[in-house]
Amino acid sequence: MSQHTPYAASADRYGKMQYNRCGRSGVRIPAVTLGLWQNFGSQTPFDTIREIAHYAFDAGICHFDLANNYGPVPGAAEENFGKLMQTSFRPYRDELFISTKAGYLMWPGPYGEWGSRKYLFSSLDQSLKRMKLDYVDLFYSHRYDPDTPLEETLQALVDMVRQGKALYVGISRYPHDAAVFAYQYLRENKTPCLLFQDRYNIIDRMPEKEDLVQLSARNGAGFISFSPLQQGLLTDRYLNGIPEGSRMSRSGSSLSRNVLTPAMLEALRGLDALARQRGQSLAQMALSWLLAKPEVTSVLIGASSVAQLKDNLGALANTAFSEQEKAAIEQTAAPIIITGRD
Ligand SMILES: NC(=O)c1ccc[n+]([C@@H]2O[C@H](COP(=O)([O-])OP(=O)(O)OC[C@H]3O[C@@H](n4cnc5c(N)ncnc54)[C@H](OP(=O)(O)O)[C@@H]3O)[C@@H](O)[C@H]2O)c1
């Protein structure tokens, strides 16, 4: 697209996507959400960022997930999203559901991370400026802070909504008992938790084991699964080596080469074969497996290219599993399943 041609979203963008209600709220979000943790920072050309973001919105992905620290460098993903707002998405603001978070390190000193009111409010104000927004649709406490009274963190979320800086609130990676407390506190303060965000996929079953998936449903919140592809492991990316430029190939990557053990490769190849029997890619089967669960509101994917995004969207075409298929997945994945917290 020439820089001078204004972006016009595809006219049939809502016909291709499925929208799921977040718990007992009034809000529906797309079954596939695009996350900007990696691939949208200062190391990615803006043309690539724009191409992926436009493709997503044209395909009905109206929910974009950010955080203050997404980059690299921290803040860069929000800045690039702000550039997208200015150059293409502004006319569609009311059609967009934009989330951000605070919890991890953003700036030095005692107020640059965790869960104090001081940090959360400063961070949200910075995020709004970077993203060129008046408000976010959803603000998350990005991680539980064991040293701050939970009431302080949660009251900050409630007040953000009262001040119109966020429409809804959510929590991410909270341990079970803190989540129980948070659901109740937020409900009592008339700002019910919209979404619980955690990593959940064929390999990582921690949220199932710790009752977090079921807990969100019992509390009327939705559940959004981040890293549903286990950062690319649950795709064909690493079945035959570590490709140049892949997440695992990068230095200081969040995806260590050490995970690619012979047992992991054998299980991934087995899962790939099961996916093919279903007429799906491994990535598609991994996403379908999550979307088949009634508690899962959306799968929160990452993508470094339009081709990946396109592949992943294909998951929506087949989210039904026979008992036999489910059992075969369990059996094949058994040696690589994780149930503990990292
Ligand atoms: N709340 C939290 O604490 C937290 C933590 C982590 C993530 N998140 C959220 O979750 C989002 C997604 O996380 P994630 O990026 O780890 O998700 P993911 O979907 O599990 O992994 C995405 C990566 O897998 C590879 N990939 C994706 N589709 C592929 C395909 N069809 N074929 C081959 N490879 C494919 C790409 O890696 P390559 O770079 O190798 O191409 C892509 O960057 C983040 O952006 C963020 O919004 C939240």
Side-chain angles (χ1 to χ4, degrees):
M1 187 184 81
S2 134
Q3 283 201 314
H4 304 290
T5 314
Y7 168 67
S10 158
D12 63 346
R13 58 193 175 280
Y14 294 111
K16 305 168 189 164
M17 180 54 71
Q18 174 190 322
Y19 296 90
N20 297 327
R21 190 168 299 277
C22 298
R24 288 194 289 268
S25 76
V27 171
R28 287 185 301 146
I29 57 171
V32 178
T33 297
L34 183 64
L36 277 67
W37 175 31
Q38 303 193 19
N39 315 314
F40 294 86
S42 46
Q43 290 168 356
T44 309
F46 187 68
D47 280 353
T48 307
I49 289 173
R50 182 171 44 205
E51 196 194 0
I52 297 173
H54 287 181
Y55 190 90
F57 191 58
D58 284 343
I61 299 180
C62 51
H63 180 22
F64 292 89
D65 182 80
L66 294 101
N68 55 357
N69 61 334
Y70 289 176
V73 295
E78 287 187 334
E79 265 166 28
N80 280 325
F81 194 81
K83 213 163 148 189
L84 279 171
M85 283 308 299
Q86 278 179 312
T87 53
S88 37
F89 282 164
R90 180 74 60 208
Y92 302 98
R93 175 62 187 100
D94 293 341
E95 295 184 39
L96 289 164
F97 202 80
I98 303 162
S99 59
T100 195
K101 324 181 186 78
Y104 291 94
L105 182 65
M106 266 312 274
W107 63 88
Y111 317 121
E113 62 179 324
W114 292 110
S116 69
R117 180 181 183 86
K118 166 79 176 161
Y119 165 63
L120 295 173
F121 265 90
S122 303
S123 181
L124 176 54
D125 284 344
Q126 290 181 15
S127 293
L128 292 174
K129 283 195 192 99
R130 282 192 290 265
M131 293 195 285
K132 311 271 188 285
L133 296 175
D134 301 324
Y135 68 95
V136 288
D137 297 278
L138 172 59
F139 183 85
Y140 288 95
S141 164
H142 206 164
R143 60 170 164 172
Y144 168 65
D145 177 354
D147 296 323
T148 294
L150 202 41
E151 291 92 335
E152 177 174 336
T153 302
L154 298 170
Q155 189 58 43
L157 301 188
V158 169
D159 291 341
M160 284 168 177
V161 171
R162 294 198 179 146
Q163 291 180 16
K165 293 178 182 208
L167 298 185
Y168 300 91
V169 298
I171 52 176
S172 174
R173 309 222 80 186
Y174 268 45
H176 185 275
D177 291 356
V180 168
F181 184 90
Y183 287 130
Q184 188 178 343
Y185 188 95
L186 293 171
R187 195 166 43 238
E188 283 172 4
N189 284 280
K190 305 214 173 341
T191 313
C193 180
L194 190 78
L195 283 175
F196 187 88
Q197 183 173 137
D198 217 327
R199 184 169 53 227
Y200 182 34
N201 58 52
I202 289 178
I203 296 176
D204 190 340
R205 306 291 180 87
M206 182 281 289
E208 222 175 59
K209 172 101 186 313
E210 294 199 5
D211 188 43
L212 290 164
V213 182
Q214 306 86 326
L215 185 70
S216 65
R218 291 201 297 277
N219 281 276
F223 186 99
I224 182 163
S225 301
F226 76 71
S227 298
L229 304 172
Q230 192 70 353
Q231 300 203 57
L233 277 181
L234 286 166
T235 72
D236 61 10
R237 200 84 164 117
Y238 304 107
L239 295 182
N240 299 297
I242 303 175
E244 187 62 34
S246 62
R247 188 175 293 189
M248 197 180 281
S249 75
R250 288 182 227 138
S251 65
S253 172
S254 56
L255 182 61
S256 164
R257 287 168 180 260
N258 298 339
V259 297
L260 214 54
T261 58
M264 173 66 78
L265 263 178
E266 190 186 333
L268 293 178
R269 290 192 179 127
L271 290 170
D272 184 59
L274 294 175
R276 281 171 203 281
Q277 282 169 26
R278 284 170 49 82
Q280 291 188 307
S281 66
L282 175 51
Q284 289 170 348
M285 185 178 80
L287 300 176
S288 300
W289 182 86
L290 282 165
L291 290 171
K293 296 179 184 298
E295 301 92 348
V296 173
T297 315
S298 186
V299 289
L300 173 45
I301 60 162
S304 64
S305 67
V306 164
Q308 289 179 354
L309 187 52
K310 209 169 170 178
D311 180 23
N312 298 342
L313 284 163
L316 292 167
N318 181 9
T319 55
F321 289 82
S322 67
E323 290 306 317
Q324 209 180 0
E325 283 173 329
K326 282 191 221 167
I329 291 172
E330 288 310 298
Q331 199 185 355
T332 311
I336 55 168
I337 283 177
I338 308 165
T339 53
R341 273 184 186 272
D342 53 21

